[in-house]
């Protein structure tokens, strides 16, 4: 049986026989023997393997063992005399699975730019940086499940294809079975979706929230975790067209309960990742952003700042900084404003609450002032909005009016409105932008570098 390199580096004992599988990172030929560095993705560090000339086919193999080649090696572990590693593997057999031609294999041992690595998206996971990113991403995902499962939340699976626009922002991709060369039209020359696969227009979901609310009115505490899609034409370092969202909805809960849980949730994820991926996090701190570990410590050990939108606007108006976009009560906060608050002013995650009704989604609970809704955004230093949440409108008449005011048709939301007709309860929830979390955690500058296969305008190659 083969073993994972991460396990051997941590627990491997000298004089035991083991086998590993992986890819050659580097080869160093000396007179008496040859060193290989092997990586199998389980850890940032490689396992050093020593090949001696007594190995069958030694000369011939050496020619073929170039960076990128895949191998299985068995041998005996030995204490390593070299600095920085506890253990190495003395090979007794080596099976070469696939060669990688050094003339054409793009990942030679040197630093490559992120832009270049995006062009070889099918190979970049084999680099140190992307190995660390995807291990941390995995640990974040596992921490999300653990957090909710430990608190008896039900994981519910919401659909990817949906007929309703959850955010009411019209940024949806249509899903159709039409032959695009022969789209049926009605007399008014509009597309006749009644003849389409679903008998009406359908979309890729922008958020599983409305469906999650259905489940919350039966199970109280539920969460979803899966991909969501937005047809925003935003070519930024923080937007994707296909991103993952962790949504939680809790019945019998108000905005304060929502914020408290969101804060505990982020703290839990940071803590878990530091425990599970210390080498990867150290790597990010050294090579990507030297504030990553201090940020994690700050998140875990300090309370988040909480201000209302109205207070935030006053603070922004007082700021000595020149902003590109105007600051005025009623206008949405731009990312420069969000970053100023979280990064420069408070220097920690900042929860902004009670936004103007006009700039938020229809399902957020209207406050007594009728000017604001019980919304909250959690703003992270360097990233801006990382979580968006709210207490939901549980009053039928108010919700119907909000839908109409936003130019939407209450008929399209009949089942959502039914939740208020039958056994309505105060409830609240939030959605975490999963890639923004991974960005925040790792210090990676571009959101396209924290998801294996980024989708963005004009980007769908891999
Ligand atoms: O603020 P949003 O739009 O909120 C919702 O979708 C609610 N239904 C959530 C809820 O209350 N249950 O999106 C939630 C989060 C944002 O805070 C942001 O972090 C992330 O999703 N997000 C994006 N991430 C990457 N690319 C995009 N285009 C994103 N749009 C939103
Ligand atoms: Mg939002």
């Amino acid at each position: 049986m083969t073993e994972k390199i991460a396990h051997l580096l941590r627990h491997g004992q000298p004089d035991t026989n083991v086998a590993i599988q992986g890819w050659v990172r580097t080869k160093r030929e000396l007179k008496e023997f040859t060193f290989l560095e092997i990586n199998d993705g389980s850890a940032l560090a490689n396992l050093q393997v020593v090949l001696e000339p007594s190995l069958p086919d030694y000369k011939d193999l050496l020619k073929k063992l170039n960076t990128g080649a895949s191998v299985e090696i068995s041998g005996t572990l030995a204490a390593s005399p070299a600095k920085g590693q506890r253990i190495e593997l003395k090979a007794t057999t080596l099976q070469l699975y696939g060669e990688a031609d050094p003339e054409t294999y793009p990942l030679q041992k040197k630093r490559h730019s992120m832009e270049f690595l995006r062009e070889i998206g099918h190979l970049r996971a084999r680099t140190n940086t992307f190995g660390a990113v995807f291990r941390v991403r995995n640990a974040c995902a596992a921490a999300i499940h653990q957090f909710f499962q430990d608190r008896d939340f039900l994981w519910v699976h919401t659909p990817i294809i949906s007929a309703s626009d959850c955010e009411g922002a019209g940024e949806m991709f249509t899903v159709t079975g039409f032959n695009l060369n022969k789209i049926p039209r009605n007399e008014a020359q509009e597309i006749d979706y009644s003849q389409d696969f679903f008998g009406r227009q359908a979309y890729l979901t922008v958020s599983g929230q409305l469906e999650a609310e259905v489940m919350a009115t039966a199970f109280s505490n539920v969460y979803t975790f899966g991909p969501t899609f937005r047809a925003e034409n935003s070519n930024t370092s923080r937007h994707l067209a296909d991103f993952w969202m962790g949504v939680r909805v809790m019945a019998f809960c108000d905005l304060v309960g929502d914020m408290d849980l969101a804060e505990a949730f982020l703290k839990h994820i940071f803590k878990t990742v530091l425990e599970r991926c210390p080498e990867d996090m150290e790597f990010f701190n050294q090579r990507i952003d030297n504030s990553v570990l201090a940020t994690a410590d700050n998140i875990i050990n300090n309370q988040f700042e909480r201000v209302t939108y109205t207070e935030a606007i006053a603070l922004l108006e007082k700021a000595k900084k020149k902003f590109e976009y105007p600051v005025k009560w009623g206008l949405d906060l731009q990312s420069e404003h969000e970053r100023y608050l979280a990064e420069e002013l408070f220097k920690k995650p900042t929860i902004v609450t009670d936004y103007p009704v006009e700039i938020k989604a229809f399902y957020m609970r209207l406050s007594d002032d009728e000017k604001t809704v019980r919304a909250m955004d959690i703003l992270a230093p360097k990233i801006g909005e990382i979580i968006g949440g709210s207490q939901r409108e549980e009053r039928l008449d108010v919700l119907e009016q909000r839908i109409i005011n936003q130019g939407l048709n209450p008929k399209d939301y009949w089942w959502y409105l039914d939740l208020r007709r039958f056994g309505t309860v105060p409830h609240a929830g939030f959605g975490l932008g999963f890639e923004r979390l991974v960005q925040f955690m790792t210090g990676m500058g571009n959101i396209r570098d924290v998801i294996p296969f980024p989708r963005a305008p004009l980007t769908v190659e891999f």
Side-chain angles (χ1 to χ4, degrees):
M1 210 189 69
T2 57
E3 291 195 58
K4 287 289 172 210
I5 287 173
H7 181 81
L8 294 180
L9 290 172
R10 220 168 278 154
H11 307 291
Q13 290 304 321
D15 300 324
T16 46
N17 293 330
V18 298
I20 57 153
Q21 295 163 324
W23 290 266
V24 176
R25 278 292 174 85
T26 59
K27 172 180 67 177
R28 203 149 46 93
E29 285 182 63
L30 304 177
K31 257 212 204 89
E32 317 83 86
F33 46 77
T34 296
F35 288 124
L36 294 181
E37 293 280 333
I38 306 292
N39 192 284
D40 66 358
S42 63
L44 186 67
N46 305 316
L47 182 66
Q48 176 162 291
V49 176
V50 188
L51 307 182
E52 291 181 344
S54 55
L55 192 76
D57 299 327
Y58 181 73
K59 281 246 157 63
D60 184 44
L61 272 175
L62 280 198
K63 277 188 230 127
K64 298 177 180 165
L65 287 171
N66 297 303
T67 300
S70 47
V71 291
E72 179 169 331
I73 303 172
S74 57
T76 312
L77 290 179
S80 176
K83 229 179 97 201
Q85 65 203 14
R86 197 175 59 83
I87 209 136
E88 62 187 21
L89 177 63
K90 296 208 181 300
T92 46
T93 67
L94 187 151
Q95 182 183 354
L96 175 64
Y97 283 106
E99 289 183 57
D101 180 359
E103 298 295 318
T104 52
Y105 184 57
L107 285 179
Q108 296 305 321
K109 192 179 161 58
K110 60 169 191 174
R111 273 232 202 177
H112 299 288
S113 72
M114 293 296 163
E115 289 75 18
F116 171 72
L117 291 172
R118 254 171 252 148
E119 288 169 19
I120 51 165
H122 57 309
L123 298 171
R124 66 177 184 168
R126 303 182 190 186
T127 62
N128 281 341
T129 302
F130 285 91
V133 165
F134 297 132
R135 279 186 298 274
V136 165
R137 185 181 163 104
N138 167 67
C140 287
I144 288 176
H145 283 297
Q146 190 200 354
F147 179 84
F148 288 126
Q149 293 291 331
D150 285 351
R151 285 165 182 74
D152 291 328
F153 278 65
L154 200 74
W155 180 22
V156 299
H157 304 109
T158 51
I160 283 175
I161 300 174
S162 167
S164 43
D165 181 359
C166 170
E167 294 306 304
E171 291 167 335
M172 296 182 295
F173 291 103
T174 293
V175 177
T176 178
F178 281 150
N179 172 345
L180 296 185
N181 293 314
K182 271 190 266 165
I183 298 177
R185 292 183 182 267
N186 61 19
E187 275 155 25
Q189 286 306 302
E190 294 153 350
I191 295 173
D192 183 6
Y193 284 105
S194 70
Q195 296 185 48
D196 201 352
F197 188 93
F198 297 106
R200 58 182 292 186
Q201 193 170 4
Y203 313 92
L204 292 179
T205 186
V206 293
S207 167
Q209 182 204 318
L210 303 189
E211 293 89 350
E213 278 188 48
V214 168
M215 301 303 273
T217 55
F219 300 99
S220 291
N221 297 345
V222 303
Y223 72 104
T224 73
F225 183 45
T228 50
F229 307 88
R230 301 222 176 152
E232 318 173 69
N233 201 0
S234 302
N235 236 321
T236 79
S237 59
R238 293 172 307 106
H239 287 87
L240 290 166
D242 172 349
F243 63 98
W244 278 56
M245 202 193 292
V247 172
R248 71 52 94 143
V249 184
M250 207 149 114
F252 309 102
C253 178
D254 62 8
L255 191 70
V256 175
D258 200 35
M259 290 190 280
D260 290 345
L261 197 88
E263 186 169 337
F265 175 61
L266 287 177
K267 286 181 155 66
H268 168 82
I269 300 172
F270 271 86
K271 214 163 159 262
T272 310
V273 171
L274 283 185
E275 280 162 19
R276 271 192 70 177
C277 305
E279 292 92 1
D280 291 325
M281 289 301 290
E282 186 65 49
F283 170 84
F284 290 121
N285 206 60
Q286 275 178 20
R287 304 288 283 267
I288 303 292
D289 174 350
N290 64 11
S291 65
V292 155
L293 290 178
T295 300
D297 187 65
N298 183 1
I299 302 286
I300 295 168
N301 295 309
N302 289 303
Q303 279 205 322
F304 294 6
E305 193 67 38
R306 297 184 186 193
V307 291
T308 65
Y309 167 89
T310 304
E311 289 163 350
I313 291 292
L315 290 168
L316 289 164
E317 280 170 345
K318 267 202 282 186
K320 298 235 160 36
K321 206 177 160 101
K322 269 254 160 291
F323 295 113
E324 192 182 331
Y325 291 90
V327 173
K328 191 170 155 232
W329 203 99
L331 297 180
D332 208 354
L333 299 182
Q334 298 297 320
S335 110
E336 56 172 347
H337 308 136
E338 298 178 338
R339 289 186 53 174
Y340 170 78
L341 293 170
E343 203 168 312
E344 294 180 41
L345 193 61
F346 297 121
K347 299 186 167 52
K348 57 177 164 169
T350 301
I351 313 184
V352 180
T353 62
D354 302 286
Y355 283 80
V357 56
E358 285 81 15
I359 59 173
K360 287 291 182 189
F362 66 88
Y363 53 73
M364 299 184 179
R365 192 178 199 282
L366 191 65
S367 297
D368 292 343
D369 63 11
E370 301 204 350
K371 290 199 186 79
T372 58
V373 286
R374 290 299 270 160
M376 64 112 172
D377 278 359
I378 302 190
L379 315 178
K382 300 213 172 120
I383 311 285
E385 180 189 341
I386 185 168
I387 280 182
S390 58
Q391 184 169 339
R392 317 303 190 199
E393 184 54 73
E394 84 283 10
R395 298 161 297 185
L396 178 65
D397 52 334
V398 183
L399 183 60
E400 255 177 334
Q401 196 53 51
R402 291 288 314 283
I403 290 177
I404 293 166
N405 290 354
Q406 298 230 345
L408 302 167
N409 187 349
K411 279 205 192 106
D412 290 338
Y413 296 89
W414 68 272
W415 52 267
Y416 187 64
L417 289 163
D418 260 5
L419 305 178
R420 279 73 184 166
R421 275 190 193 99
F422 310 120
T424 191
V425 283
H427 63 294
F430 62 75
L432 162 79
F434 186 58
E435 283 73 22
R436 291 195 189 168
L437 168 78
V438 181
Q439 253 192 299
F440 185 32
M441 180 91 56
T442 59
M444 293 292 285
N446 194 316
I447 197 165
R448 298 176 193 203
D449 299 330
V450 296
I451 185 166
F453 305 102
R455 267 81 183 106
L458 306 181
T459 304
V460 70
E461 179 73 18
F462 304 103

